[in-house]
Amino acid sequence: MPLAINIEDLLTKQRIESNRVEFKAGWNPASIYHSVCAFANDFDDLGGGYIVVGVETDDVTGVAKRPVVGVSLERIDGILQDMVGYNNKLSPYYMPRTSVEEVDGTQVLVIWCPAGINRPYFVPENVTAKSGSKEYFYVRSGTSSIIAKGEVLDELRELASRVPFDERGNPDIKVEDISTLLLREYLVKVKSKLANDLYIKPLEDILEQMDLFVGPSENRMLRNVAAMMFCENPSRFFKRTQVEIVFFPEGRLKNPNNLHEGPVITGSVTQIIDRTLEYLNRMLVMQTVIKPKDNNRSKKFFTYPYQALEESVTNSLYHRDYREWEPVVITVEPQGITIQNVGGPDRSIPKVDIDKCELLISKRYRNRRLGEYLKELDLTEGRSTGIPTIQNELKENGSPRAIVVTDEDRTFFRITIPCHEAAGNIIADIASKDDIRESSQKSSQKSSQKGSQKDGSSQHVIDMIRQNPDVTTSEMAERIGISRRSIAKITNKLQTEGVIQRVGARKDGHWEVIIKEE
């Protein structure tokens, strides 16, 4: 059966960390089963790995040499038969998934080794030996598989009782709870050939191939991550899996009683992330141009760099403790956006690193499989790169640095993304207008806008350009409730006054709001 990801992503090591992919030019079961054992033990909680047989490694780039050498179909049939016996030599018993993929006009054999739930695993040093071969525990060290010894072996044994929450079986989740639409959408996005099999093979077979079942044959259970990713209402299993947005136009400290509640965003984890980012992008991410008094070069900045928000929102859903009945809460104030989720950073992250807010490297992940899915969808950069990405984006935008806060017991994680210092009043103005309600009350506002916008049409045009520089005159006219001719008069007047400017051609260009620096 096909892989749940695209073979080209493995060959180029895209979306998958290099230490989770191993290329083998030929079939060498002794060394290959060291790696199978190491990936199954998943010492660093990376989510297992892949072994691709029939591919040579480029010594310079580390990716696959093209065209691949491949493996004949006759040879692959023999390998698959041999693997049945070799799998029995792993203890406890472990069965990796296999897939024959066509690449460069030939075939390669992909052995997918997801993290095992019965770790630690050990295997004979030489699985081809009939007897007498010593047995060892193997773990990954960089891109190699090594024998676990000393403290590493002790820690590996301790992992037997530590199964990440999202990988645990849940008897309450049924196959009928899985949305085939969400599942297919994911498979199409990652370019998996399994998308073609979804409507011609039983759903159970697809989920089994994706390693979303756990437990013995007589009591198979779906893993928690199946509901997180592919259930339209995971709150049935993990209470209050949602994002709540609150606006404080004057700030919580200055006036805590002046607040506006934004939407409550629900859905699968990926739907929540997408819907939250769409809302924040539409409401708060705006570009502004400053024209210095004594300089011809304009300064451009965003209220918030989008990628910083993307990393923060994604990580809040990724690292959330789904056993706690608390939502992710996003608080918007003039000075910045605060995103808080229950479940603080792992104890392996020193407090000094949290205070510096530069690089937070965790040895253990609460939801390792969920993180793997989000990375494959390009929703997050990768392991331990979130904070550096956020800080770099803020620096390039000219914004202050982000701040991370947690408590002594590590019960929550809170990150504050500062608003650009020159845009604080813009955010306060948006929040005070209660434009928040637009997401749920668009239709009811149209009639009231027509009368009230007569005196404020110019400001409304400016606000729409800040929210969407690509907005058209037709969209402005429809939203305000006036004619396109009136919009043309307003934009011409604002351009003459130096408030806005048109960049590029009429069809391909965009608008910019100008602030003249004193």
Side-chain angles (χ1 to χ4, degrees):
M1 190 174 283
L3 292 169
I5 62 172
N6 185 261
I7 182 62
E8 289 295 330
D9 289 339
L10 287 180
L11 298 178
T12 58
K13 297 187 176 179
Q14 296 292 320
R15 295 190 175 97
I16 306 295
E17 293 91 340
S18 59
N19 57 345
R20 296 183 57 216
V21 183
E22 192 169 295
F23 299 133
K24 297 288 186 181
W27 173 244
N28 183 358
S31 65
I32 285 175
Y33 267 82
H34 296 170
S35 295
V36 171
C37 180
F39 284 134
N41 279 325
D42 196 27
F43 183 70
D44 291 319
D45 274 349
L46 296 177
Y50 301 83
I51 303 166
V52 189
V53 182
V55 177
E56 294 178 327
T57 305
D58 188 305
D59 295 333
V60 178
T61 63
V63 300
K65 281 186 178 181
R66 308 297 289 269
V68 300
V69 295
V71 184
S72 67
L73 287 176
E74 295 80 8
R75 183 73 179 115
I76 288 176
D77 289 339
I79 291 172
L80 294 177
Q81 291 179 14
D82 291 342
M83 287 184 66
V84 175
Y86 298 149
N87 292 341
N88 285 309
K89 295 190 176 184
L90 281 157
S91 186
Y93 176 75
Y94 174 87
M95 185 180 72
R97 271 70 174 168
T98 58
S99 176
V100 179
E101 301 285 329
E102 184 174 343
V103 181
D104 299 338
T106 186
Q107 293 76 36
V108 298
L109 175 63
V110 181
I111 304 172
W112 176 31
C113 309
I117 61 169
N118 296 315
R119 61 184 179 183
Y121 297 89
F122 60 88
V123 71
E125 186 177 20
N126 185 358
V127 291
T128 63
K130 292 185 178 180
S131 61
S133 181
K134 291 184 178 180
E135 296 174 324
Y136 295 102
F137 297 90
Y138 289 88
V139 296
R140 295 293 285 180
S141 177
T143 57
S144 302
S145 298
I146 63 171
I147 297 174
K149 298 178 180 178
E151 293 181 359
V152 172
L153 180 56
D154 293 339
E155 187 174 353
L156 177 61
R157 285 175 170 144
E158 289 177 5
L159 293 178
S161 60
R162 291 191 218 162
V163 178
F165 178 75
D166 65 335
E167 298 236 51
R168 299 176 190 173
N170 189 327
D172 296 328
I173 304 171
K174 308 301 180 185
V175 173
E176 51 266 29
D177 295 319
I178 302 302
S179 166
T180 54
L181 292 176
L182 289 177
L183 183 58
R184 189 175 193 283
E185 182 181 6
Y186 165 78
L187 293 171
V188 169
K189 283 183 178 179
V190 301
K191 300 178 181 178
S192 169
K193 293 179 181 178
L194 271 179
N196 300 325
D197 296 343
L198 189 57
Y199 295 118
I200 61 175
K201 293 185 178 180
L203 181 57
E204 290 88 342
D205 291 353
I206 304 294
L207 298 174
E208 188 72 58
Q209 177 66 9
M210 295 176 68
D211 191 38
L212 289 174
F213 277 110
V214 67
S217 57
E218 68 275 11
N219 186 29
R220 300 294 276 166
M221 293 182 290
L222 282 167
R223 300 180 190 266
N224 283 321
V225 71
M228 294 176 186
M229 285 291 300
F230 309 119
C231 178
E232 293 182 348
N233 184 21
S235 289
R236 293 169 51 195
F237 314 105
F238 324 111
K239 300 297 183 183
R240 303 192 74 184
T241 299
Q242 60 196 43
V243 168
E244 298 178 2
I245 302 176
V246 182
F247 288 76
F248 288 88
E250 300 174 73
R252 275 180 294 186
L253 294 179
K254 187 175 181 181
N255 190 353
N257 296 319
N258 181 12
L259 62 89
H260 303 281
E261 292 186 358
V264 175
I265 301 174
T266 59
S268 68
V269 169
T270 50
Q271 286 178 320
I272 292 174
I273 292 172
D274 289 340
R275 291 166 181 172
T276 302
L277 289 173
E278 188 278 330
Y279 180 83
L280 295 179
N281 186 42
R282 175 166 52 85
M283 296 296 296
L284 301 173
V285 178
M286 309 170 201
Q287 187 185 55
T288 302
V289 180
I290 295 180
K291 285 199 170 182
K293 185 176 181 181
D294 301 321
N295 193 334
N296 292 329
R297 298 189 64 180
S298 300
K299 300 177 183 177
K300 297 182 180 181
F301 65 87
F302 289 90
T303 49
Y304 300 95
Y306 177 80
Q307 193 170 0
L309 293 180
E310 183 179 52
E311 282 287 333
S312 302
V313 171
T314 302
N315 284 336
S316 69
L317 273 299
Y318 169 19
H319 297 296
R320 178 187 187 271
D321 189 344
Y322 287 87
R323 295 170 297 182
E324 299 291 336
W325 294 7
E326 293 294 335
V328 172
V329 179
I330 298 179
T331 305
V332 182
E333 301 179 73
Q335 66 270 25
I337 296 175
T338 298
I339 302 171
Q340 178 171 307
N341 60 274
V342 292
D346 189 76
R347 291 285 181 182
S348 61
I349 303 176
K351 184 178 183 301
V352 63
D353 289 349
I354 296 174
D355 294 338
K356 285 182 180 179
C357 193
E358 292 179 354
L359 182 63
L360 306 184
I361 300 177
S362 176
K363 289 187 66 178
R364 300 285 169 250
Y365 290 89
R366 187 176 288 114
N367 303 301
R368 67 182 174 192
R369 186 72 175 277
L370 179 61
E372 183 180 337
Y373 280 131
L374 296 178
K375 188 173 187 298
E376 289 169 2
L377 291 170
D378 289 329
L379 286 172
T380 184
E381 288 288 321
R383 309 282 174 163
S384 305
T385 60
I387 294 298
T389 298
I390 292 168
Q391 300 293 27
N392 289 337
E393 290 294 322
L394 289 170
K395 182 178 179 180
E396 290 181 9
N397 192 55
S399 302
R401 287 172 57 82
I403 300 171
V404 166
V405 176
T406 187
D407 60 348
E408 187 175 346
D409 294 328
R410 307 283 177 100
T411 61
F412 70 89
F413 184 91
R414 181 191 305 146
I415 184 168
T416 299
I417 308 296
C419 181
H420 194 286
E421 293 175 343
N425 291 333
I426 296 174
I427 300 301
D429 186 50
I430 291 172
S432 64
K433 288 179 181 177
D434 204 14
D435 199 22
I436 308 153
R437 294 176 299 176
E438 183 182 338
S439 60
S440 59
Q441 299 178 354
K442 284 183 179 179
S443 58
S444 63
Q445 282 191 342
K446 282 187 176 180
S447 59
S448 63
Q449 283 178 347
K450 289 182 180 179
S452 62
Q453 294 304 325
K454 291 180 179 179
D455 299 328
S457 295
S458 295
Q459 184 58 47
H460 215 68
V461 166
I462 295 170
D463 290 343
M464 281 189 284
I465 290 173
R466 280 176 172 154
Q467 293 177 29
N468 179 16
D470 298 319
V471 65
T472 65
T473 54
S474 298
E475 291 169 340
M476 294 181 192
E478 181 181 357
R479 184 168 170 183
I480 297 177
I482 59 179
S483 66
R484 290 178 59 188
R485 186 174 179 180
S486 298
I487 290 293
K489 289 181 179 179
I490 293 170
T491 54
N492 288 336
K493 180 175 179 290
L494 291 174
Q495 288 182 84
T496 302
E497 294 173 350
V499 178
I500 64 174
Q501 67 180 10
R502 183 70 182 177
V503 179
R506 183 171 66 87
K507 290 186 177 181
D508 301 327
H510 65 274
W511 296 100
E512 290 182 348
V513 177
I514 301 169
I515 297 178
K516 293 183 179 179
E517 188 174 70
E518 296 297 333

